[in-house]
Amino acid sequence: MVNFSDSVYSVLKVLVELYNKGNTPVKSKDIASALGIHEGYVRNMLSILKSMGLVISKAGPHGGYIPTSKATDMLSRQTFSVPIVSLSNVIGYALDVTLIGLLSDKPLASMRVIGDLTEYIEREVRIGPLPNGLVLIGKIIKADIEALVEITSIVSIPRTSVKNIMTPNPVVAKPDDTIAPYVKLFIEKRYRGIPVVDENGKPIGLLMASKLMETLSLCKLDAKVKDVMVKDPPTIYEDEDIHEAIRLMVAGGIGRLLVVDSEDRLVGIITRTDILRRIATLEQLV
């Protein structure tokens, strides 16, 4: 079974409903209107769904998005999962997390687990964020399919906006530049990725360190950024809260999002590290 976040689920659910109602391809703006969110965010979700084989797209004035035959079945069997993290590595996913004895000396979290956590018994893990914004920190005491974690602290992630924790005004590359000027930046600043923007400041790609090094190994110093960059980078609007950023990262298996303003111009970057740093400074509930 494929597991995805509630934000991806919501977009797929509305897409199926609109398609069944009109039996015609659905525009991303119609999904955005139904959910009350930015169209650019919807397009990110649709890209994830397309990569999962649940959505196809049709070009042209009468085009849009169409759910595949797997989509309806997937909706009926969907179970939400949240990451289980140890030492910054995702070691599994938790389903149906339930808090037990929250007012006792040793509160517990019970959950079903995807992945083998046997070797992590007695180790500290972080679970979440849960859909309600809570992050559980504790020690695994049972690691079967039905796992138990002894909770040592609970952190609540506030609904602060992405712009409050992003890195603003990042270094950018232009698509027609050669890659040579950026090699020094990657080495000295230890960047993992540099956004690529068009003449209007809108992100169109990511120049990744791994791809750059691969090109250098082939002695192609005259290669253009547009020939090396990863196209259609994942974006999020600056006014979205960090819960949405977390869900998008988990759903897409990505570590960074390019942050854009209401006119889709690049204004910053938010990374998994930014979010984890934010979580580490929050007040604990227990």
Side-chain angles (χ1 to χ4, degrees), residues 8-23:
V8 179
Y9 171 85
S10 297
V11 169
L12 181 60
K13 185 173 183 291
V14 170
L15 170 63
V16 171
E17 290 173 350
L18 293 177
Y19 180 75
N20 289 339
K21 184 177 180 179
N23 201 32

Side-chain angles (χ1 to χ4, degrees), residues 214-236:
E214 179 184 327
T215 304
L216 287 177
S217 69
L218 300 174
C219 300
K220 294 182 178 180
L221 278 174
D222 58 344
K224 296 282 185 73
V225 167
K226 63 184 178 183
D227 298 324
V228 178
M229 70 181 188
V230 177
K231 298 179 181 178
D232 300 321
T235 61
I236 188 169

Side-chain angles (χ1 to χ4, degrees), residues 1-13 45 48-49 52-55 70-82 93-95 114 131 247-248 250-252:
M1 180 186 297
V2 177
N3 294 276
F4 40 64
S5 72
D6 54 349
S7 51
V8 179
Y9 171 85
S10 297
V11 169
L12 181 60
K13 185 173 183 291
M45 298 297 99
I48 292 171
L49 290 167
M52 296 166 69
L54 298 175
V55 168
K70 296 192 300 182
T72 301
D73 179 58
M74 184 60 64
L75 285 177
S76 67
R77 298 187 293 112
Q78 168 63 15
T79 302
F80 298 118
S81 63
V82 296
Y93 291 88
L95 311 173
I114 301 172
R247 291 170 189 146
L248 187 55
V250 172

Side-chain angles (χ1 to χ4, degrees), residues 56 97 125 133 143 145 152 161-162 188 195 200 232 235 241 254 277:
I56 59 175
V97 180
V125 295
I145 295 176
T152 56
S161 62
V162 166
E188 292 185 351
N200 298 312
D232 300 321
T235 61
D241 63 53
I254 52 181
R277 188 180 297 117

